[in-house]
Amino acid sequence: MLKRTPIVVCFLLLTFAAAMAQEAKPLYEFDFKEKESSIEILQDRYVWFRVKDGYHLFDALSGEAVWAHKELPEFDGRFTLNWEEDFLLYSTKAGLSRLDISTGNIAWSVELSSMKFKDVADYWETDAGVLFYGGKKLVLVDVEQGTEVWSVDIEANGDLVKAGKSWIVEADGRLLVLAEQGPVLLDVGSGQTVWSATGKFSKKTEEA
């Protein structure tokens, strides 16, 4: 009898699965004619569509629209960053804007005085905000207030960039920047230099 038990269980599971498959019906359907579209599930409750330069948010249970932006206000198409499924940062011709995902409202839109997004080569999420690099400059933006916190003139190590290796590491409120002239330690909150050293990096350096 013990040897037959797994067979009976498998039969019951298969029967149940088949029954569920026959009864399954779609709750709703979405129909976007645009080919340039993408879909994502957010916060375990929303269905998020990007269609060209527009964004649409739907309730995942009912399929009802929560909000829609056919085009994001002043969006220049260069940069978007979904920040922990809470809000969307996106670039404008003048600087940066924040769209709150739950409401669809633009929380703030600011002009960046130190950098234009056409110059942005890389970015990182940090505990103090979003960090941008471009034009031999680092710029930190507070994502809550929408303010440019600090900017520092610095050049990334070219060999590390070409090799696709990390050249910025954040730990304990500090940013270790492997710059062209040598390593530099910055305070992430203020951008002030804690210490710096000159020296070249070996091209054979391996990431930890």
Side-chain angles (χ1 to χ4, degrees):
M1 293 295 292
L2 289 176
K3 293 182 180 179
R4 294 180 181 177
T5 301
I7 299 176
V8 175
V9 172
C10 289
F11 174 76
L12 291 174
L13 288 174
L14 290 172
T15 303
F16 177 74
M20 290 296 293
Q22 291 177 356
E23 296 177 2
K25 295 181 180 179
L27 295 175
Y28 49 82
E29 293 182 350
F30 297 106
D31 183 17
F32 286 101
K33 297 180 181 180
E34 302 291 346
K35 294 181 179 180
E36 299 178 17
S37 61
S38 61
I39 183 173
E40 188 176 356
I41 303 299
L42 299 179
Q43 302 176 13
D44 295 327
R45 59 178 297 187
Y46 298 123
V47 181
W48 162 280
F49 286 95
R50 176 177 179 176
V51 183
K52 287 190 173 181
D53 291 339
Y55 283 82
H56 307 259
L57 195 74
F58 293 84
D59 185 293
L61 294 179
S62 65
E64 296 181 357
V66 179
W67 55 258
H69 286 284
K70 187 175 182 179
E71 293 183 358
L72 292 177
E74 302 180 349
F75 182 40
D76 68 357
R78 293 181 180 273
F79 166 84
T80 59
L81 173 60
N82 180 351
W83 191 283
E84 298 180 354
E85 301 188 0
D86 289 328
F87 53 87
L88 179 78
L89 297 178
Y90 68 90
S91 59
T92 65
K93 292 182 179 179
L96 190 68
S97 292
R98 166 176 158 164
L99 169 75
D100 287 342
I101 289 176
S102 60
T103 65
N105 296 330
I106 306 300
W108 49 256
S109 185
V110 297
E111 180 176 352
L112 296 181
S113 59
S114 302
M115 181 181 293
K116 299 299 182 182
F117 268 92
K118 64 181 180 63
D119 299 322
V120 172
D122 211 342
Y123 64 89
W124 302 264
E125 298 179 40
T126 76
D127 291 338
V130 59
L131 183 69
F132 296 104
Y133 175 73
K136 299 181 182 180
K137 188 185 294 288
L138 283 172
V139 177
L140 183 77
V141 177
D142 185 320
V143 296
E144 296 297 334
Q145 304 299 322
T147 55
E148 188 175 317
V149 182
W150 54 258
S151 65
V152 172
D153 293 326
I154 200 165
E155 184 178 0
N157 179 269
D159 291 335
L160 295 179
V161 173
K162 290 178 182 178
K165 295 182 179 180
S166 301
W167 58 277
I168 286 187
V169 179
E170 180 188 14
D172 299 326
R174 299 285 192 265
L175 288 174
L176 177 60
V177 182
L178 304 181
E180 184 66 22
Q181 304 303 321
V184 180
L185 190 68
L186 302 176
D187 180 85
V188 70
S190 66
Q192 295 295 313
T193 299
V194 178
W195 59 256
S196 63
T198 58
K200 293 294 183 179
F201 297 92
S202 171
K203 295 183 179 180
K204 296 181 180 180
T205 299
E206 297 293 335
E207 294 188 59

